[in-house]
Amino acid sequence: MGCRETLPKRSLVRVVRRPDGVQVDPTGKLAGRGAYLHDRRACWEKGLKGPLAHALKVALTPEDVDRLHQFMQLLMQDKEDADVQA
């Protein structure tokens, strides 16, 4: 979504529009309109600037953006931890 690079769905992070807001769908099975992002910071930053909201056909609320930023930070931290262990 952010960088427009095509990869298999299983290697991407699904974000879904739900009645209670936009959230990350780790199972990939939640009902609702979904969009996919890489686990790269640049893709998340670019996606949060507009393309993600457009793909989900919703205006992201400040709460949605905050929730997605928090997930992005955890995702990046987990990736950095994995890189250190390797």
Side-chain angles (χ1 to χ4, degrees):
M1 147 120 322
C3 67
R4 308 292 249 175
E5 183 180 333
T6 305
L7 291 174
K9 282 184 183 180
R10 298 228 180 237
S11 66
L12 302 171
V13 178
R14 183 171 188 249
V15 179
V16 65
R17 180 185 74 199
R18 307 272 300 170
D20 57 338
V22 174
Q23 64 188 55
V24 174
D25 176 11
T27 65
K29 296 180 180 181
L30 287 177
R33 184 169 186 85
Y36 294 86
L37 291 166
H38 291 113
D39 61 352
R40 292 183 239 159
R41 180 188 241 25
C43 292
W44 279 78
E45 288 174 351
K46 188 173 182 180
L48 288 173
K49 288 182 180 176
L52 182 61
H54 180 73
L56 295 174
K57 297 185 179 180
V58 68
L60 296 176
T61 66
E63 293 82 16
D64 292 335
V65 173
D66 186 49
R67 188 178 314 114
L68 295 173
H69 270 291
Q70 288 177 8
F71 179 81
M72 179 181 71
Q73 294 301 325
L74 291 174
L75 186 67
M76 297 308 128
Q77 185 176 7
D78 289 346
K79 192 169 184 153
E80 289 171 4
D81 291 345
D83 289 344
V84 169
Q85 291 177 1

